[in-house]
């Protein structure tokens, strides 16, 4: 096995609703450290509908030492300004 990974949803927008109504960069940074240090993951697959959220999460994941894989999902939504 190459590594141990996990999936992280930054917020998808099925039917116009978000799966993650609140997005806090400080919380994301802490969760990335937990994923790397406590769960001993080496990689993360980040998905979501908002490119800014994906980028923020990817930066925190890389800072935590994780290998980062990205997948943007459906962009036919309005961006939520609650970062």
């Amino acid at each position: 096995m190459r590594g141990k990974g996990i999936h992280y949803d930054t917020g998808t927008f099925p039917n116009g609703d978000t799966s993650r109504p609140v997005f806090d960069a400080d919380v994301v940074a802490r969760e990335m450290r937990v994923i790397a240090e406590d769960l001993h993951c080496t990689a993360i697959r980040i998905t979501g509908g908002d490119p800014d959220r994906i980028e923020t999460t990817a930066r925190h994941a890389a800072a935590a030492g994780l290998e980062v894989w990205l997948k943007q999902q459906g962009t036919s939504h309005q961006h939520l300004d609650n970062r």
Side-chain angles (χ1 to χ4, degrees):
M1 181 184 315
R2 185 174 133 177
K4 180 179 177 184
I6 195 166
H7 174 256
Y8 189 88
D9 175 30
T10 64
T12 54
F13 300 89
N15 303 319
D17 295 326
T18 178
S19 60
R20 188 173 197 141
V22 176
F23 184 85
D24 183 321
D26 292 331
V27 170
V28 172
R30 185 175 69 244
E31 290 175 342
M32 294 304 112
R33 288 189 305 272
V34 166
I35 289 168
E37 297 169 10
D38 297 346
L39 299 179
H40 307 288
C41 289
T42 59
I44 188 165
R45 178 179 186 231
I46 301 168
T47 62
D50 183 329
D52 293 333
R53 288 181 175 196
I54 293 171
E55 180 182 1
T56 297
T57 304
R59 289 183 188 279
H60 288 300
L66 296 167
E67 178 180 347
V68 178
W69 293 77
L70 307 175
K71 181 176 186 304
Q72 186 173 354
Q73 296 176 318
T75 57
S76 60
H77 64 77
Q78 294 179 343
H79 290 273
L80 301 177
D81 192 15
N82 59 358
R83 290 176 234 121

